[in-house]
Amino acid sequence: MADLKDVAVIGVGATKFGENYDWGVDDMLTIAAFDAMDDAGIKPGQIEAGWIGIQYPFTGFSGATLSDAIKTYDIPITHTENYCVSGLDAFRNACLAVASEQFDMVIACGVEKITDQTGRGLPTSGFGHPVQMAGMTAPSAFGLAFPRHAKAFGTTKEHLAHVAVKNHFNGAVNPKAHFRREVTLEQVMKAPLISGPLGLLDCCPISDGSAAVIVTRADIAKKYRDDYVTIKGMGFATYTNLMMYDKNFDYLAWRPTVKAAEKAYAMAGITDPLNEVDLAECHDCFTITEILNVEDLGFCKKGEGGPAMAEGRFNIDGQVAVNPSGGLKCFGHPIGATGVRMVYEVTKQLQGRADGRQREGAKVGMAHNLGGLGGVVCGVVILTNQVR
Amino acid sequence: MAGIVAYGAYIPWLRLERRLIAEAWGIPGVPGEIAVGNFDEDSITMAIEAGRDCILDDPVGVGGLYFASTSPPYAEKSCATTVASVLDLAQGSVTCDFGLSLSAGVSALVAAASAVDQGVAPSILVTAGECRLPETKTADEQTFGDGAGAVLVGNEDPIAEIEGVHTSYDEMVATWRLPGDRTVRDNSRFYTAKGYVPSLLAAFKGAAEAFGVAPGDIAKVVYPAPDFRAHGQVAKAMKLEPGQIQDALFAFVGGCGCAQPLMMLAGALEEAKPGDRILLAGAGDSFTVLLLEVTDRIADLPARRAIKGHIASKSMLPTYAKFLEYKEMLNTEEGESNSSMIQMWRDRRAVQPLYGKRCNSCETVYFPPRRLCPNCFAREDSEDVRLARKGTLFDFIDDNLYVSIEPPTTLTISDLDDGARIFMQMTDRGVGEVEIDMPVELTFRKIHDGGGFHNYFWKTRPVR
């Protein structure tokens, strides 16, 4: 009987992320999915089931969004929607299906066509109650953590800026990133304000993109490639849409991250994440989010995220390489695609194929995907290139 | 006859110097300021504020709600019921809307007194709110102001008895608005000369005869006017002493339509002494004069903001363009807002009188109301509780992304005095004035017009 640790990734694919005005949803899914199938060395006919992460109705509805893009008729395909974790939840479901031995070869993918809508930022007017939640936006939902974190721990706007500088440095060499340029601390600090302390360069851009991964079991993976990666740990957790009404919530930690990481570390047998995880693609939708993330994931003590960032502890050659790809900061956040893109990056890193941004000697990598208006839902997936 | 049990008023926080209007158009200006409702205010929200001031947020024993306005936000649909619901008046309360005429506020007061006398309700809260839109580049633009007044009419412990009512009418077209017109049309010169002044003087004369009082018997004469000059003309013709003339609020508020006499009455009552006799008039189409006599109980009336408390609390609009924008006279970017009349109806107790729940098991007070306690998860074991209107700021952020007439939108999380934690937008604040742990109070405002109707909810504001 197989389990989650027998699940392997044998192929990854992704489009260029950015303002892909020339591409529709179908274009991007076809490109990403065939990229992944080519990487795995399989054909669409071998895929037995699929999961596709999409957040917004303007991107697409239901599993047929995928079957139309890659012509895999007659198999089960499921649309996952779980805020910004929609993509990583597609991957989770694919992994569970393979671990259950119901299917041998499946695809998990995600896509979002953000630029097809004309609003500012991400549309949130349909989220929550018509008047009680009116005014809430994505940067504010996360930015509300800043005043409390600053009051409790002395976190500053400059600490936030270090996140942007680091991720832009990493993303500058990534051919699939939306933003491929370094930024200075001064540029970040002086950018126009979007919400509270968060300036334009503290926020991930509005971008389109798609990513796909091919999932199978390790025993089958061996027939396709030697450098497949396997699941080492996985944890998901959901909190509440109403955290801003919850007196037990203090805005100092994203509770679903803490809980998801606990589960993933327990499964992986990791007790000292700082020394046992080499790299983490972690959810930097806004710079303040990453400050809380590195604390919540145990890469530093609670409250030390800001200074640790400034000290370079999470640079590509730091204690843990956080967002070696450039993160959401450089890729943008096509919602459904993001979690799958994280698995794409971690896999490339563990295979030593992350050209120009390679974390040397990487053995254990993490995808951390956080979603909702604030930390509502989180997925943590830990992958390894070490044989079980 | 029934008497006046309490009074209240509301003047919006924002003011505009008349000089800025005059300079924008290159026309002669008048000194002083006008009160301008914020972009999230209308005659309903201002009437609610005045009503809250009048009953001090305590609806117990209030048996009815009358609402008067010539500028209601709905052409069809009661506004009185919205005000009654937000103030949490009992379902069996009598409600009625008055409008169409500048005399509507005083007419509502007289109707309320009659209804109380007839036993329709033990007491009726009369509210009047106005945000009349003037045509641009007119004298009206420098004259009109926004505001609201309220009086509680009843039999129990009145602070002023209504000793008599005298009324007459005068038919003329001189101030009007056709269906579809947004701005008021008038011929104020003609109206003052042949309508307002002679009709009001005749009404006062008839009232004096009917009541058997001489001008010297009256402590304060409270009457509205189309403008400052017309107000003075009546005072002069009646040979009133300066101390007898109740300030019509033209200098720093402006003419507040049918709410003006009720606001002025609040101003008179906040300075009145037992035994004072007050003449209160409504003017416009019908001309109604009431004789009031202040009782000993006025000394026991708890403090309220009324006119004095509101007039000093203000913030100056920087430009005339802001005024035009708030009044929706300019085409600026509009955000997308969704709503559902069915959901708003279902949630009306949470949205309007702001009810949350108190868990019977762990005593947590929470919002929005749910079947499970968010603290101890107790199932369907809670009481409905009307939430406190004051609290302390737990967290906030100034958001520039949400489409608003006045960015940034200050988003707040507050701990109300009863323990409930609540998320709301903040209004009537200066950017940079907001800080964690500051005291806040709640105010009922328009959030958006999603769904093609007005969607209201509460906001926080710094304590005025």
Side-chain angles (χ1 to χ4, degrees):
Chain A
M1 181 72 189
D3 65 25
L4 265 177
K5 288 188 179 182
D6 294 316
V7 174
V9 176
I10 58 164
V12 296
T15 62
K16 168 95 168 68
F17 279 44
E19 291 168 309
N20 296 337
Y21 295 118
D22 293 337
W23 290 341
V25 171
D26 212 55
D27 295 312
M28 293 196 296
L29 264 178
T30 303
I31 292 167
F34 276 89
D35 194 19
M37 287 186 279
D38 290 348
D39 188 41
I42 66 164
K43 301 287 182 205
Q46 292 173 258
I47 293 175
E48 300 164 50
W51 283 264
I52 176 162
I54 300 170
Q55 167 70 43
Y56 285 111
F58 56 71
T59 292
F61 298 97
S62 89
T65 309
L66 177 60
S67 69
D68 280 332
I70 63 172
K71 303 293 179 274
T72 49
Y73 297 159
D74 308 324
I75 65 168
I77 302 178
T78 303
H79 167 202
T80 58
E81 185 279 292
N82 211 343
Y83 286 134
C84 311
V85 188
S86 300
L88 202 62
D89 213 350
F91 179 71
R92 178 178 73 104
N93 279 279
C95 292
L96 291 170
V98 167
S100 75
E101 300 185 49
Q102 183 77 41
F103 304 105
D104 292 337
M105 187 74 72
V106 304
I107 187 168
C109 55
V111 64
E112 211 74 54
K113 194 73 191 76
I114 306 288
T115 60
D116 274 7
Q117 56 89 36
T118 53
R120 300 200 275 185
L122 291 174
T124 51
S125 70
F127 289 14
H129 194 279
V131 293
Q132 290 165 16
M133 286 289 278
M136 186 58 99
T137 65
S140 288
F142 288 91
L144 276 163
F146 180 81
R148 299 307 309 183
H149 206 269
K151 188 177 165 75
F153 307 119
T155 303
T156 65
K157 180 170 167 59
E158 189 168 322
H159 289 144
L160 305 183
H162 280 286
V163 175
V165 171
K166 168 181 69 72
N167 292 352
H168 270 266
F169 175 85
N170 293 347
V173 295
N174 194 327
K176 292 196 170 175
H178 182 173
F179 287 162
R180 298 191 59 198
R181 60 183 175 92
E182 295 181 31
V183 295
T184 65
L185 205 60
E186 191 184 11
Q187 281 176 303
V188 182
M189 298 285 283
K190 288 188 173 172
L193 290 178
I194 302 297
S195 178
L198 301 175
L200 191 65
L201 291 172
D202 288 287
C203 305
C204 65
I206 295 296
S207 318
D208 306 316
S210 179
V213 299
I214 307 299
V215 179
T216 184
R217 277 185 307 278
D219 56 328
I220 302 169
K222 287 173 190 149
K223 297 174 196 161
Y224 291 89
R225 66 194 309 155
D226 295 329
D227 60 349
Y228 61 87
V229 303
T230 55
I231 303 288
K232 184 176 173 68
M234 184 185 286
F236 279 66
T238 308
Y239 176 37
T240 171
N241 279 322
L242 300 175
M243 73 192 73
M244 56 292 286
Y245 297 91
D246 190 347
K247 285 199 95 167
N248 298 318
F249 181 65
D250 59 13
Y251 273 98
L252 299 179
W254 302 122
R255 176 165 157 171
T257 294
V258 174
K259 298 297 177 187
E262 270 176 20
K263 297 176 200 195
Y265 289 149
M267 177 178 160
I270 289 174
T271 55
D272 179 10
L274 182 61
N275 290 307
E276 293 179 70
V277 176
D278 299 302
L279 65 106
E281 283 293 301
C282 94
H283 200 92
D284 57 328
C285 49
F286 306 99
T287 51
I288 181 66
T289 317
E290 184 170 317
I291 298 281
L292 268 67
N293 291 342
V294 293
E295 299 170 357
D296 297 343
L297 292 169
F299 297 155
C300 65
K301 285 185 190 154
K302 183 46 67 184
E304 285 183 2
M309 205 63 69
E311 289 162 19
R313 282 196 239 165
F314 306 119
N315 290 353
I316 190 108
D317 55 356
Q319 288 173 287
V320 180
V322 175
N323 285 317
S325 70
L328 280 65
K329 191 76 243 336
C330 293
F331 271 80
H333 186 19
I335 312 293
T338 292
V340 183
R341 181 198 56 78
M342 290 172 163
V343 174
Y344 168 99
E345 176 67 15
V346 173
T347 302
K348 289 268 191 184
Q349 288 280 348
L350 295 175
Q351 291 171 331
R353 297 196 293 159
D355 297 335
R357 59 183 194 282
Q358 181 66 45
R359 168 73 175 196
E360 292 307 320
K363 295 186 178 65
V364 175
M366 171 193 286
H368 160 265
N369 203 189
L370 180 68
L373 287 173
V376 177
V377 54
C378 181
V380 171
V381 172
I382 300 168
L383 296 164
T384 183
N385 54 14
Q386 304 296 295
V387 177
R388 187 176 185 178
Chain B
M1 199 172 196
I4 288 169
V5 177
Y7 62 87
Y10 177 73
I11 300 167
W13 185 62
L14 294 171
R15 314 291 159 81
L16 179 68
E17 280 184 89
R18 294 187 167 102
R19 178 180 61 82
L20 293 177
I21 304 175
E23 284 172 9
W25 292 115
I27 57 175
V30 184
E33 301 161 5
I34 54 170
V36 181
N38 209 332
F39 69 91
D40 54 5
E41 294 186 278
D42 62 19
S43 54
I44 282 187
T45 67
M46 290 193 289
I48 287 167
E49 286 291 311
R52 294 177 61 200
D53 191 45
C54 184
I55 62 172
L56 299 174
D57 279 325
D58 181 5
V60 174
V62 180
L65 192 292
Y66 286 0
F67 171 83
S69 181
T70 64
S71 49
Y74 283 104
E76 177 168 344
K77 193 233 164 286
S78 170
C79 299
T81 54
T82 306
V83 178
S85 171
V86 172
L87 297 179
D88 201 22
L89 266 55
Q91 207 74 58
S93 301
V94 57
T95 58
C96 192
D97 291 75
F98 295 76
L100 301 177
S101 169
L102 292 171
S103 62
V106 169
S107 299
L109 198 168
V110 171
S114 306
V116 169
D117 285 343
Q118 291 297 315
V120 175
S123 67
I124 295 174
L125 178 58
V126 179
T127 61
E130 289 281 29
C131 44
R132 298 167 79 215
L133 269 183
E135 289 183 310
T136 50
K137 207 177 175 179
T138 60
D140 283 350
E141 200 175 24
Q142 295 184 47
T143 304
F144 288 9
D146 297 337
V151 286
L152 181 61
V153 176
N155 284 318
E156 214 165 299
D157 296 337
I159 58 167
E161 303 279 6
I162 299 174
E163 300 288 340
V165 178
H166 175 87
T167 192
S168 60
Y169 77 89
D170 182 22
E171 161 61 14
M172 75 191 307
V173 178
T175 303
W176 76 103
R177 206 152 54 83
L178 293 174
D181 285 350
R182 289 195 66 214
T183 56
V184 175
R185 310 187 199 204
D186 58 19
N187 184 334
S188 56
R189 206 173 166 80
F190 163 60
Y191 172 59
T192 300
K194 301 305 288 183
Y196 169 75
V197 171
S199 296
L200 184 57
L201 287 174
F204 272 129
K205 186 162 179 283
E209 284 166 11
F211 305 153
V213 293
D217 302 336
I218 304 301
K220 276 275 161 42
V221 185
V222 179
Y223 61 94
D227 55 47
F228 181 77
R229 280 187 57 201
H231 191 256
Q233 275 177 261
V234 169
K236 193 174 171 189
M238 288 177 72
K239 299 189 174 66
L240 297 176
E241 297 294 325
Q244 288 180 292
I245 308 166
Q246 180 59 36
D247 177 17
L249 301 169
F250 279 112
F252 296 104
V253 177
C256 297
C258 84
Q260 191 185 10
L262 299 192
M263 295 168 72
M264 292 171 68
L265 177 62
L269 288 171
E270 66 189 354
E271 304 211 325
K273 300 182 303 293
D276 280 357
R277 299 178 101 186
I278 294 171
L279 282 178
L280 166 68
D285 309 306
S286 71
F287 293 80
T288 302
V289 181
L290 287 77
L291 176 64
L292 308 175
E293 184 162 338
V294 178
T295 72
D296 294 343
R297 296 187 190 95
I298 195 157
D300 304 328
L301 194 71
R304 61 210 54 229
R305 286 180 182 155
I307 298 298
K308 282 184 187 168
H310 279 114
I311 207 157
S313 166
K314 66 178 179 180
S315 175
M316 302 306 298
L317 278 174
T319 62
Y320 172 62
K322 280 283 171 207
F323 167 81
L324 292 177
E325 193 180 18
Y326 287 5
K327 297 299 179 188
E328 297 177 8
M329 302 290 272
L330 300 175
N331 283 323
T332 50
E333 182 184 9
E334 283 183 33
E336 283 178 38
S337 297
N338 298 328
S339 193
S340 154
M341 70 178 86
I342 294 158
Q343 185 178 8
M344 293 296 282
W345 169 82
R346 186 167 63 240
D347 295 344
R348 63 199 180 281
R349 290 259 292 169
V351 167
Q352 293 182 341
L354 194 67
Y355 269 77
K357 294 270 195 184
R358 177 183 283 110
C359 176
N360 290 328
S361 179
C362 73
E363 299 194 336
T364 295
V365 179
Y366 61 89
F367 186 90
R370 282 156 277 173
R371 285 174 193 266
L372 301 186
C373 172
N375 183 56
C376 74
F377 311 153
R379 178 181 169 193
E380 303 199 31
D381 184 24
S382 61
E383 304 296 330
D384 292 347
V385 50
R386 191 172 64 233
L387 297 183
R389 271 40 172 169
K390 288 180 185 298
T392 304
L393 195 68
F394 171 75
D395 199 4
F396 77 100
I397 195 159
D398 288 327
D399 184 290
N400 284 298
L401 191 57
Y402 184 67
V403 179
S404 164
I405 284 175
E406 193 55 75
T409 301
T410 301
L411 304 173
T412 61
I413 300 174
S414 307
D415 289 327
L416 301 182
D417 288 350
D418 50 22
R421 177 165 291 180
I422 197 154
F423 171 79
M424 286 172 180
Q425 296 180 29
M426 180 179 266
T427 190
D428 291 357
R429 88 287 176 257
V431 175
E433 174 195 352
V434 187
E435 51 187 28
I436 284 179
D437 294 336
M438 73 187 278
V440 293
E441 58 188 19
L442 305 190
T443 178
F444 194 76
R445 296 297 170 101
K446 190 163 85 172
I447 304 298
H448 56 72
D449 284 339
F453 55 92
H454 303 306
N455 290 257
Y456 300 94
F457 188 54
W458 296 81
K459 291 186 178 183
T460 52
R461 73 170 173 221
V463 176
R464 277 186 75 175

